[in-house]
Amino acid sequence: MEVKPGYKQTEVGVIPEDWEVKPAGQIGAPVRGGSPRPAGDPRYFNGSYIPWLTVAALTNIPASQLVVSETATCLTEEGSLQSRTLTAGTLIIANSGATLGVAKVLGIECCANDGIAALLSLSKRVSPQYLAYFINTKTGYLRDIVATGNGQPNLNTALIGDFKIPLPPTKAEQETIAEALSDADALIESLEQLVVKKRQIKQGAMQELLTGKKRLPGFSGEWEVKRLGQMLTICHGKSQRDVEATDGPYPILATGGEIGRANRFLYDKASVLIGRKGTIDQPQYMDTPFWTVDTLFYSVVHAPNHAKFIFYRFCLIDWKRHNEASGVPSLNAGTIEEIEINSPGPDEQTAIATVLSDMDAEMAALEAKLAKARSIKHGMMQELLTGRIRLI
């Protein structure tokens, strides 16, 4: 492959000519954390002396948060003597578990367990934030290629020390790259928090609007207790064997969503769907033609009821309480139709469904914006951490 002027081919790929490649062990000293034994001993754990960071706790820190700023628990002073104390600013790498290969930077002094490695005595010419961002582009490689062990793969300090890292020539350039990626992370984190907030608001609105605790303007009067069977008829899906097509216009739905395409539809009106077997607690809604397999019920909604209102109401039902099997969870059509709910008149059903649909649309737009921000950051990492784009 031809390398454009100003760049060179290296063992980590094409990088600018003034960058260099160094093993992690040449820019710092890889070490492992330490875990007091026995685990849970009150002499060491659940104290108040120093924060205690475990590899399991790293799974609760989102990818957009590079800096570890707090821990769930602390060690006692005696416990700290049986562990390894790490200072703020230290680069850490999960060396085992679900987050193996994920790097963070400590924002606090803490002790770390032996599922976490650290790079101590880091060269003053190297930015730990830059290192963390680069390592996080190689998590899959570290996990699938570098880590050893069949049952519980892990990264030992020798493997970490041999890991090759491309380095811009100055710490200032490294920090500029890290700052640009940090800004992208800040946007992602703010969008993530907003999505969570909007979901909580919608869940609260569902609890109030769908039960009559809160009424929309212009509506009054008592709601009526109805069996679901008065509002809809539960129908069985069918095998997709005779309708499946690679380019069919209609989705084939199962309990987990779309599994294929069909050349004709089973039903073409707004419908609420619920699992008959397996996943029985994830209602679906369709207002375009579809086919369903026999593990998924669909419904024929009786006029003048509003299908989207019934869908949202389905989302509040504890379906596992209606499970009728001791093995694979199962629902019975008759059982579903006997469930009683409080229902407003059709106009209020429509108004409630419209409010909640608008909330769904707002969340979908936010989630699309979040996905775009994540995609942009991924592209930035590919460009900035390889030197294809230089910021200074």
Side-chain angles (χ1 to χ4, degrees), residues 249-267:
Y250 308 112
I252 298 172
L253 304 176
T255 54
E258 183 176 324
I259 61 169
R261 306 295 292 182
N263 56 29
R264 65 178 188 269
F265 58 80
L266 182 61
Y267 192 64

Side-chain angles (χ1 to χ4, degrees), residues 281-294:
D281 58 349
Q282 294 181 13
Q284 301 178 51
Y285 173 77
M286 288 295 292
D287 56 9
T288 55
F290 61 87
W291 189 278
T292 63
V293 298
D294 56 6

